[in-house]
Amino acid sequence: MILVFEEEELGVMTEAEARRRDYRRVFQENLVREGLELELEHKDTSFDGKTWFLKIHLPWKTKTRYAEVMSLKLPIKRFITISVKAWDDEKKEKEKPSLWIKLQKLWEVFFQYNTDLVEEDPSFHAATQGADREEQFIVKDRVTEFASSQRSMIVMQILLRVRYDDASDKVGIRRLLNDNTYLASFPLHEGKFDKESSNGKPLDRRLLYLEWARPAKWMKRQPLGLIRKYFGDKIGLYFCWLGFYTKMLYAPAIVGFICFMYGLMTIDSPDNIPTKEICDRNGPGNITLCPLCDRACKYQKLLDSCKFARLTYLFDNPATVFFAIFMSLWATVFLEMWRRKQKMIQWEWDLQGTEQDEEPRPEFEASVKTFRTNPVTREKEPYLSTKSKSLRYFITGSAIALMLLVVLCAVLGTIIYRLSIVSVIYGSGGYFLKKHAKIVTSVSAAVINLIIIMCLTKFYHRLAIYLTNLENPRTHTEYEDSYTFKIFMFEFLNFYSSLIYIAFFKGRFFDYPGDIVVRKSEFLRVKGDVCDPAGCLSELCIQLAIIMVGKQIFNNFVELFNPFMNNWWRGRSHRSATKDLTRKHTRWEEDYHLQDPGRLALFDEYLEMILQYGFVTLFVAAFPLAPLCALLNNIAEIRLDAYKMVTQARRPLAERAEDIGAWEGILRAITYAAVVSNAFVIAYTSDFIPRMVYKYKYSKSFDLNGYIDASLSEFNTSDYAEGMGGDSEGKPPPETCQYRGYRNGPDQPNPYDLSPQYWHVFAARLAFVVIFEHIVFALVGVMQYVIPDVPSELKTQIQREALLAKEAKYEHGLKRQDSDYDEILHAIRENNNSSRNGAKDVRVSGVRGSWARRLSRISDGLDAHVEVTSRTKKNSVSSTVWEVT
């Protein structure tokens, strides 16, 4: 680990500089007391002559000591397991490889990375193959070295808990970074990514670049074992999830493309009678439509909606219902298969129980001044009172509600813009704009909405961090979950609100063209925002495509060029400050020039993918090409994220994670919402149900001939009030015009009231939603039952491991000596009580919180296959390492 700081040289030392120097002195003395080794690079040897670099080394003795306290397991080197079919008495003879198996092997070779450079990842299924039924289980080689990511994690845990002020209870490196006592804290990269090491052997960073981070490797599998080794469990789990999600997108991308091609190939077929009628100049296409606005808008022909009708059919065709059901089932299969995959990964990577007994955040311990006795541990621990929590949640909840209201106002502004721009185009636009007014309005409104979304996102992310810090969650997991839900609630409304409006609300409040209430205020003008006679689905498709694809392009551009430009500017600034341009920069100086990834860098990557998952599932009935766009984006996203982490950013701090956290619950919520959303999109947004009602209820020939005329209602232009009506260009207005809706004509009883056909369509829509949801949820329930969360083979292995662990403890006993932990107990007690001098403290003296409890529980994690050797030497370097026989 590297700590970077500078010292002011203003002639007279300021009070702030004196305080920072004192903090650094105390902090570094306590680091040495904790067992770390420090090496200071004098500023005169740095590139600019004023930057100090403090190199922190982790000795083996301190490393193994704290690894046991943190319950940190060493990496798995190989798997030797019992056969998952050990209960079978018969052994199957080896079968000769078939042609299909040979093709599979060729396929594997094409997608497999170079195993000569990167060792192939061990896997559960590969380990359990074969008929060897020996009573053996997983063997984890306790090698003589930890992974570099694990070493940096141990050091960071010490840095977070070391005191830097003897006169108070101020602890942690993060506070020192916030007040500029230290400028940076980061683990070192291993060598250069574009060059081999001095001995000619490529290091892990170089291997990751060669086999993972280059765009040319887009078709290759990810070396997850090496990613986890270099970046830690949390980042490794993210790339595992992203790779699995991308792989699962192949099926919906293919099916969605087929549905799109079906619409493209049958656009002129007899199945598409409504579109033909709209485009028929001598038939329904000659129907006069009521104007979209007063005075400026003209009376148009139905023929003008021909382009929208043809576009709508590409996505609203007989294959749409099938694709919506398919996507609902696919989302469920994806979640269940990921849960199975996650269980496998937890077992293979030893991640079970990593979040149990989580320690409080250092910021929480330092800021909270109230304490209580934990009823379970009987220890004093800091806590926030219910009153304080309620006040904090009320403040943060009010701020979030205000921001959500701002998003809704932005959506309302976009709607009013769409209504106003139509009047402007028809009133003063040229011939081209007037001819394509609908498309120009939809596209420009979608682009403006996207720009507003991006601007609000940047502001809200900063606000969310401030609000989460105000809440002051107890643990880091609680902190991330709170921040996650705040961001997702905002982003969900920010990105999906315009889509929800178009899909479910646009045109639903419209009565008839002569409605006087609509003209009373700008707000009520929203009632006049109606769909095109061809339907709202085309507009929903345009909005979804622009927001989804535009967001992906913008994010990829930012992810690629932002670190590059940032590093270019930092490098340029550092070069200008370099005194000796002939001197090569050291390894720590080169890493210091790179961009800081930040504590929540991985959060933005998850958020981007979760929002994309929402686009793919929630409104996929309106845009079947969404899975294909997501697939192409994710193939590039994996390599882009890899390139950024390996080459453009400082090495992120390794963290442990048992699963993907709160994102899994959000994925499940989106999946269930997608079933309801797609049902309503088909029933209310598309014309599928109205067409079926007309075909089987009103059509004499049981086809769609005459559907367009039946879906439009008639309005008498003489019923327009003064100041209302369209621009007839000096000519008398037509006697009647037609508009989209099911209402009585002007000559019928109760003119302009809802017609019987409206209620027939309304009942059919509700029936479809209920039937669709029940069928899909029933199939989802069956699939969840058929696909268990934990594979039976893995369950057998876990049960066998637990049994062998009990037998090992019973056979060998627990030969742990309390003296093995005297040094760490003494160091922690001295650190906690150094400023008290015998004074009473509300906290328990000695080891605090879960660290003390872990010292008494280390034997609980004893591996079943490990033979515990007696340790006679108290200060032996290997005293805390389990030996494998």
Side-chain angles (χ1 to χ4, degrees), residues 499-556:
L499 300 175
I500 293 173
Y501 167 75
I502 295 174
F504 307 128
F505 296 103
K506 183 174 182 179
R508 308 298 172 195
F509 307 108
F510 178 76
D511 291 334
Y512 58 95
D515 187 9
I516 302 177
V517 178
V518 177
R519 278 78 169 179
K520 287 185 176 181
S521 67
E522 290 295 325
F523 179 77
L524 292 177
R525 286 184 62 193
V526 177
K527 291 183 61 178
D529 188 21
V530 296
C531 298
D532 187 85
C536 283
L537 202 66
S538 58
E539 187 173 344
L540 178 62
C541 173
I542 293 174
Q543 187 86 358
L544 176 60
I546 289 179
I547 292 180
M548 178 182 176
V549 178
K551 177 181 179 298
Q552 292 180 166
I553 294 175
F554 177 79
N555 286 343
N556 289 338

Side-chain angles (χ1 to χ4, degrees), residues 199 545 580 846:
N199 60 4
D580 185 6

Side-chain angles (χ1 to χ4, degrees), residues 58 63 70 72-75 145-156 228-230 232-233 651 654 656:
L58 181 64
K63 184 190 312 178
M70 296 167 59
L72 189 64
K73 296 181 181 180
L74 282 161
E145 191 58 76
F146 286 80
S148 56
S149 60
Q150 292 176 310
R151 298 198 299 270
S152 65
M153 183 165 55
I154 294 173
V155 174
M156 192 62 184
R228 178 208 175 201
K229 175 186 174 184
Y230 191 78
D233 299 325
R651 190 175 183 178
R656 304 202 74 196

Side-chain angles (χ1 to χ4, degrees), residues 781-801:
V782 171
M783 298 179 72
Q784 288 179 341
Y785 178 78
V786 172
I787 306 175
D789 295 341
V790 181
S792 58
E793 299 92 342
L794 178 58
K795 189 179 296 183
T796 301
Q797 299 286 14
I798 293 175
Q799 291 173 350
R800 183 64 180 167
E801 184 179 35

Side-chain angles (χ1 to χ4, degrees), residues 210-229:
L210 291 176
E211 295 298 321
W212 180 51
R214 292 191 300 165
K217 299 293 182 179
W218 67 269
M219 80 295 291
K220 301 294 183 181
R221 283 202 182 105
Q222 300 183 82
L224 294 175
L226 186 59
I227 297 171
R228 178 208 175 201
K229 175 186 174 184

Side-chain angles (χ1 to χ4, degrees), residues 408-420:
L408 294 178
C409 291
V411 174
L412 180 61
T414 306
I415 298 170
I416 295 176
Y417 162 81
R418 185 184 290 112
L419 294 173
S420 303

Side-chain angles (χ1 to χ4, degrees), residues 420-485:
S420 303
I421 199 66
V422 171
S423 302
V424 173
I425 291 177
Y426 284 119
S428 59
Y431 172 77
F432 178 81
L433 289 178
K434 290 181 179 180
K435 185 177 180 180
H436 302 87
K438 297 177 182 178
I439 295 179
V440 171
T441 301
S442 299
V443 172
S444 61
V447 172
I448 291 175
N449 189 38
L450 177 63
I451 294 173
I452 294 175
I453 286 172
M454 294 302 178
C455 295
L456 289 176
T457 298
K458 292 295 182 183
F459 171 76
Y460 184 77
H461 278 218
R462 297 182 180 181
L463 177 63
I465 293 178
Y466 173 80
L467 295 177
T468 308
N469 290 334
L470 180 63
E471 288 182 2
N472 199 10
R474 179 177 177 273
T475 63
H476 187 67
T477 300
E478 293 177 2
Y479 184 95
E480 284 196 349
D481 290 349
S482 177
Y483 180 74
T484 297
F485 285 118

Side-chain angles (χ1 to χ4, degrees), residues 12 94 180 306 364 551 579 582 584 629 656 791 851:
V12 178
K94 293 184 178 179
N180 291 326
C306 180
F364 178 84
K551 177 181 179 298
K579 295 183 176 181
T582 61
K584 292 184 178 181
C629 295
R656 304 202 74 196
W851 285 55

